[in-house]
Amino acid sequence: MSFDINNSGPGVSDFILLKDLSEDGLLQNMKKRWEDGFIYTYIGNVIVSVNPYQPVNLYTKDIIELYRTNDTRDLPPHIYSLADITLRTMQYESQDQCIIISGESGSGKTEASKLIMEYIATIAGKNSRQITVEHVKDQLLNSNPVLEAFGNAKTVRNDNSSRFGKYMDLQFDGNGNPSGGKINTYLLEKSRVVTQQPNERNFHIFYQLLNGAEPELREHLKLKESAKYYKYLNETADDIDDANINKESLNNIINTMNSIGISDKDQLSLLEGIAAILHLGNIHFEPLEGGSNPGSKITNIEEVEMAAELLGIDSETLATALISRSINDYAGRSKKAIIVPLDVEKAEFSRDALAKALYSYLFDFLIQKVNDQINSNDADDTQKHVIGVLDIYGFEIFEKNSFEQLIINTCNEKLHQHFINYTLFSEREEYKRAGYSWDTNFYFSNQLERSKEMFQLIESKDKGIFALLDEECLMPVPSTTSFLNKLDHYHINHKYYDSFFWLKHYAGEVDYSINDFVEKNNDTLHSDLVFALYSSEKETFRELIPKSKVAKTSRVSRTPDTLGMQFRTSLANLMKNVTSKTPHYIRCIKPNTTKSSTYFDESLCLAQCRYLGLLENIRARRQLPKYAVPIIQRTWRSYRSHCLLNGMKKSVIESGNDWINIKWEKEPANEKLKEAFNNLKYIYYREMVSEKLLIFIFIFIFFFLYYYCYYYYYYYYYYYCIYFN
């Protein structure tokens, strides 16, 4: 599809203008537009994007320039429109902005974030220091392949699914000129390092390293070529030696790291850490023969030696830390450490905990190196403004839903609650500005109440799901049965909980497989392993460990950090970041599960529309004060709003509907509203008359000048002939 400035596509380009305001009307309009290549549609100031699953010619420099120099509402719906509004709002109102991109895995969220950043970086550079803008733009966009290699993985729904939340800030100085950037990451799915669901894979970087390493690098890392030799990669039914994995991908990643300023030393450290994780996964334990202590031993010590050499630590220290742990005897007089041997199950748990922690540290190290290149420290923080872009994995419902899905879905519940809160607040404020009484929007009010009850179930400090799970992990012998009994005891009568751990999320009911919840939540890395890694002779690996982690392991902690605790802390930081800014929304829709560019699965899309609340959003914005009055007010104030009215009128005319006969969701309730509605009609007719009058005046002037010139031509020609004859 080629871009046409005068073609907004079939149906209506803004769902607010739908004549058939129903689920079927919404779906048919979306389907019709998607099949014709129009993947974007408005809901007021919200963008709905449907993944095209094919290349589209919508993102050229010429199109960027069109949206920069024209009123975006006079142009077809586009993601550039929202990016332009966000940038101008930040510049004119001096307020931090945030673009929240939501949707299922595979709906195009990551691509949307790339397009947003590219537009903002390109446009902001028109009136500022071009070198700074190009540097920040290149760093942010070039870092994407590296972040995808370390943070993305193949899932049953998406071959390149983001398994972490990425929040990117573009920083601007007090004059609105770009000055730098920063990347924050949240909720890395580090459990994927040690286990994956059937037909899924580990993070891309493992396969890229095995397939693309040069012989010299492979020998240094002591790696074999096939993924089938490594436990952390070979326990899935997926084709782990897929020939489609590009052998040049590792070189591309290395070249990208070079381009964003990551040194050769740091690159090698990252790859050494990845290889060490693969060797850790291959360490095998067996029970000790004889004796009363249920200890264990390592049967393939060579894997320990290879991992230890890559990490720069003593192999005996690492081996000892894997099969035993020391506990300080604070009750005794000597206060010496007591060595407690670990059985096979606990030793495997320690090994996996080290692998997950190491990968998480490497990922944070990578993010820090990228930020070192783009973060601005020149200006005072009080003089900075930022535009943030949040790209985080969407709601997930699989055949088997584990602890990771609970974390992901809880995060999406939180973002949905934020959307409801902001929509209610902005609607109420707009009513007040227009001088109308507040009339509660029942859908959003009910959704807000539902969210509060859901988070009481999940996050309550004493009896919430995460609190009960943490409590179970502190038991001498934690068990799944005990945890499930506690859930049923406290929540069996809760409206959003069913026995055997069914939760009724806003996006649908989810049956969670609770069998491994306790093991996955108990993510504690005991102090011996922390100090073993901290004893590395390689500075990079010593610096990986947060100082707070080293300090904490030096003292007794009655409440060790569980994965649930880490998640809640990370989620709180994310929401603090998001709620401090003015939000803008992009709702991404996945049209089918087969990645077809021609098949529109109506049932799948309807489910997504429901849990994103699209129809209710349309209804809220169709109410007269929300929709008509701002148009009236802006139209009287400026010519720009005159263009806005014409743009909306054009959209309605193209759809075959009559602008003035739109059925409002809520009819005027008082004299002031009736007056506003009549003013809207007056403005419409006035504009129509003005257009026709202008055409008449133009025609009149044209003929006047024509006959005027004709008359004088023959007048002078007549006297010329008489004079010379």
Side-chain angles (χ1 to χ4, degrees):
M1 183 198 109
S2 59
F3 183 82
D4 183 357
I5 189 174
N6 296 313
N7 185 7
S8 294
V12 295
S13 59
D14 191 325
F15 283 123
I16 290 176
L17 304 175
L18 276 175
K19 193 171 185 179
D20 177 15
L21 190 57
S22 64
E23 288 184 341
D24 185 63
L26 173 66
L27 273 181
Q28 293 309 313
N29 189 78
M30 184 184 294
K31 179 180 180 181
K32 189 186 305 181
R33 292 178 62 79
W34 180 77
E35 289 177 341
D36 282 12
F38 293 87
I39 63 175
Y40 298 115
T41 311
Y42 293 122
I43 302 179
N45 55 1
V46 174
I47 290 282
V48 178
S49 170
V50 187
N51 194 333
Y53 283 130
Q54 64 177 338
V56 288
N57 187 30
L58 296 176
Y59 312 112
T60 64
K61 291 183 178 179
D62 291 338
I63 295 176
I64 289 179
E65 190 65 17
L66 274 175
Y67 280 85
R68 185 184 76 85
T69 56
N70 291 275
D71 190 310
T72 56
R73 295 306 296 232
D74 285 339
L75 300 172
H78 203 292
I79 197 170
Y80 290 162
S81 172
L82 184 136
D84 189 79
I85 291 171
T86 303
L87 177 61
R88 296 184 190 281
T89 303
M90 186 275 298
Q91 291 174 334
Y92 297 151
E93 299 184 6
S94 298
Q95 294 180 351
D96 292 346
Q97 308 292 306
C98 175
I99 298 175
I100 300 174
I101 308 173
S102 58
E104 276 198 8
S105 177
S107 59
K109 299 186 301 299
T110 299
E111 289 303 313
S113 69
K114 293 178 186 177
L115 293 169
I116 288 286
M117 299 299 282
E118 184 172 10
Y119 181 88
I120 292 176
T122 301
I123 296 306
K126 293 292 181 180
N127 301 310
S128 61
R129 298 165 292 175
Q130 193 64 29
I131 295 178
T132 300
V133 175
E134 288 300 322
H135 174 69
V136 174
K137 172 188 170 184
D138 291 343
Q139 293 292 332
L140 286 172
L141 296 181
N142 290 343
S143 66
N144 273 318
V146 181
L147 297 183
E148 288 180 2
F150 282 82
N152 288 24
K154 179 182 178 181
T155 67
V156 292
R157 292 189 177 182
N158 185 1
D159 288 350
N160 190 34
S161 176
S162 299
R163 308 316 297 167
F164 69 105
K166 179 171 60 178
Y167 184 89
M168 299 178 289
D169 269 340
L170 265 178
Q171 300 168 341
F172 298 81
D173 61 24
N175 297 320
N177 298 323
S179 60
K182 186 178 181 181
I183 298 175
N184 291 315
T185 59
Y186 302 93
L187 312 175
L188 175 69
E189 189 188 19
K190 58 184 180 180
S191 61
R192 181 171 292 271
V193 173
V194 299
T195 182
Q196 307 91 43
Q197 294 199 38
N199 298 314
E200 295 195 353
R201 289 184 182 174
N202 213 316
F203 292 102
H204 293 327
I205 187 62
F206 291 105
Y207 308 97
Q208 292 168 339
L209 178 59
L210 292 176
N211 278 17
E214 298 293 338
E216 183 179 353
L217 177 62
R218 188 183 302 279
E219 182 179 356
H220 173 73
L221 300 178
K222 300 172 176 54
L223 291 176
K224 298 178 181 179
E225 291 189 16
S226 175
K228 67 183 180 182
Y229 294 110
Y230 298 97
K231 178 182 181 297
Y232 287 158
L233 307 180
N234 64 14
E235 294 189 339
T236 174
D238 190 62
D239 183 8
I240 55 177
D241 286 327
D242 188 351
N244 292 325
I245 297 177
N246 188 355
K247 292 185 178 297
E248 292 298 318
S249 58
L250 181 64
N251 287 333
N252 295 336
I253 296 301
I254 291 175
N255 291 335
T256 302
M257 287 195 285
N258 287 330
S259 70
I260 59 179
I262 299 178
S263 67
D264 293 343
K265 176 186 174 183
D266 290 336
Q267 291 179 35
L268 182 60
S269 296
L270 285 167
L271 298 181
E272 286 176 337
I274 296 299
I277 289 172
L278 291 177
H279 292 303
L280 284 173
N282 280 0
I283 296 174
H284 184 259
F285 304 93
E286 285 186 356
L288 283 176
E289 297 178 0
S292 58
N293 292 327
S296 60
K297 64 179 181 179
I298 298 173
T299 60
N300 52 348
I301 197 65
E302 66 277 4
E303 294 287 355
V304 178
E305 292 172 347
M306 287 188 286
E309 182 179 342
L310 290 170
L311 296 174
I313 60 181
D314 180 67
S315 59
E316 290 188 9
T317 301
L318 177 58
T320 302
L322 287 171
I323 60 175
S324 65
R325 62 176 301 184
S326 56
I327 300 177
N328 290 326
D329 182 19
Y330 286 96
R333 295 182 178 180
S334 63
K335 296 185 179 180
K336 292 183 178 180
I338 300 174
I339 305 300
V340 179
L342 304 178
D343 59 23
V344 171
E345 182 180 356
K346 292 179 180 178
E348 290 177 344
F349 173 83
S350 294
R351 175 201 63 196
D352 292 345
L354 176 60
K356 290 185 289 184
L358 179 56
Y359 193 85
S360 179
Y361 295 156
L362 290 170
F363 190 74
D364 292 341
F365 174 75
L366 174 63
I367 298 299
Q368 182 59 49
K369 290 301 175 182
V370 174
N371 284 335
D372 287 344
Q373 299 297 319
I374 60 177
N375 196 15
S376 170
N377 296 315
D378 297 335
D380 184 5
D381 286 342
T382 59
Q383 297 178 344
K384 290 181 183 178
H385 294 293
V386 301
I387 294 178
V389 179
L390 175 62
D391 168 20
I392 198 163
Y393 29 45
F395 197 89
E396 293 185 347
I397 305 178
F398 298 139
E399 289 185 9
K400 179 182 178 182
N401 301 287
S402 189
F403 188 60
E404 295 79 19
Q405 278 65 54
L406 176 63
I407 287 177
I408 291 169
N409 294 341
T410 301
C411 179
N412 278 271
E413 283 273 6
K414 208 74 170 179
L415 291 172
H416 182 67
Q417 183 189 47
H418 174 60
F419 173 73
I420 298 299
N421 265 321
Y422 179 75
T423 302
L424 272 175
F425 173 78
S426 60
E427 185 175 282
R428 182 167 62 246
E429 291 303 307
E430 191 162 352
Y431 271 56
K432 290 180 180 178
R433 284 195 298 270
Y436 306 119
S437 59
W438 166 249
D439 186 11
T440 303
N441 184 299
F442 289 104
Y443 168 76
F444 287 116
S445 297
N446 291 339
Q447 283 291 300
L448 189 59
E449 187 63 30
R450 192 209 67 83
S451 293
K452 290 179 180 178
E453 293 183 24
M454 174 59 79
F455 284 112
Q456 185 70 18
L457 167 65
I458 296 175
E459 292 187 328
S460 176
K461 291 184 178 180
D462 51 353
K463 305 303 179 187
I465 291 173
F466 284 116
L468 293 175
L469 183 57
D470 289 343
E471 178 183 295
E472 186 62 33
C473 289
L474 292 175
M475 294 291 106
V477 184
S479 73
T480 298
T481 303
S482 174
F483 172 52
L484 186 58
N485 289 338
K486 290 178 182 178
L487 287 176
D488 288 346
H489 174 72
Y490 289 110
H491 302 301
I492 193 62
N493 295 321
H494 197 285
K495 66 169 70 174
Y496 300 121
Y497 173 87
D498 278 338
S499 187
F500 299 105
F501 210 173
W502 281 74
L503 290 185
K504 300 174 184 178
H505 291 282
Y506 75 94
E509 294 187 5
V510 181
D511 177 17
Y512 290 100
S513 177
I514 200 173
N515 293 333
D516 53 2
F517 268 47
V518 174
E519 291 77 8
K520 288 185 176 180
N521 187 56
N522 195 5
D523 191 51
T524 306
L525 183 67
H526 66 74
S527 59
D528 296 48
L529 289 172
V530 174
F531 285 124
L533 190 57
Y534 194 65
S535 68
S536 172
E537 62 185 21
K538 297 182 179 181
E539 183 181 3
T540 300
F541 290 109
R542 290 199 305 273
E543 293 179 349
L544 286 180
I545 306 177
K547 296 296 185 291
S548 59
K549 189 75 176 177
V550 178
K552 189 169 185 178
T553 55
S554 64
R555 64 181 187 273
V556 174
S557 175
R558 294 184 180 274
T559 56
D561 282 344
T562 62
L563 190 58
M565 290 179 182
Q566 297 170 34
F567 161 68
R568 280 173 285 176
T569 301
S570 185
L571 182 58
N573 292 334
L574 170 62
M575 297 312 301
K576 181 180 179 181
N577 206 345
V578 169
T579 54
S580 64
K581 300 173 176 63
T582 301
H584 306 265
Y585 295 94
I586 300 175
R587 303 304 210 183
C588 295
I589 301 292
K590 181 179 181 178
N592 56 70
T593 58
T594 58
K595 302 174 188 174
S596 169
S597 61
T598 58
Y599 172 54
F600 187 89
D601 187 337
E602 294 189 13
S603 60
L604 176 66
C605 292
L606 178 59
Q608 295 173 77
C609 290
R610 282 174 176 169
Y611 77 67
L612 289 173
L614 297 190
L615 192 62
E616 289 73 19
N617 195 350
I618 297 169
R619 284 175 175 153
R621 296 174 188 276
R622 277 277 288 267
Q623 294 182 15
L624 181 63
K626 184 75 177 176
Y627 180 46
V629 174
I631 296 176
I632 298 167
Q633 294 171 335
R634 289 194 297 265
T635 303
W636 284 110
R637 281 201 298 264
S638 66
Y639 174 75
R640 185 175 182 275
S641 298
H642 167 82
C643 294
L644 174 64
L645 179 64
N646 281 339
M648 298 189 73
K649 181 184 68 178
K650 180 177 68 174
S651 298
V652 180
I653 292 174
E654 286 177 355
S655 71
N657 293 336
D658 184 1
W659 160 263
I660 209 62
N661 292 324
I662 287 179
K663 182 180 179 181
W664 302 104
E665 187 67 20
K666 185 171 183 177
E667 294 296 335
N670 55 44
E671 292 301 322
K672 192 168 185 179
L673 292 184
K674 290 178 181 178
E675 180 184 354
F677 188 64
N678 291 332
N679 284 342
L680 180 62
K681 289 185 178 182
Y682 168 74
I683 292 170
Y684 171 74
Y685 287 125
R686 188 195 68 179
E687 297 302 331
M688 293 295 291
V689 170
S690 297
E691 288 178 3
K692 293 177 181 179
L693 183 60
L694 285 174
I695 294 173
F696 174 78
I697 293 173
F698 174 79
I699 294 174
F700 175 80
I701 293 175
F702 173 79
F703 280 104
F704 175 80
L705 292 175
Y706 176 81
Y707 283 109
Y708 180 82
C709 295
Y710 180 83
Y711 171 78
Y712 275 96
Y713 171 78
Y714 281 98
Y715 176 81
Y716 285 112
Y717 180 75
Y718 173 76
Y719 281 101
Y720 173 82
C721 292
I722 293 176
Y723 179 79
F724 285 100
N725 289 335

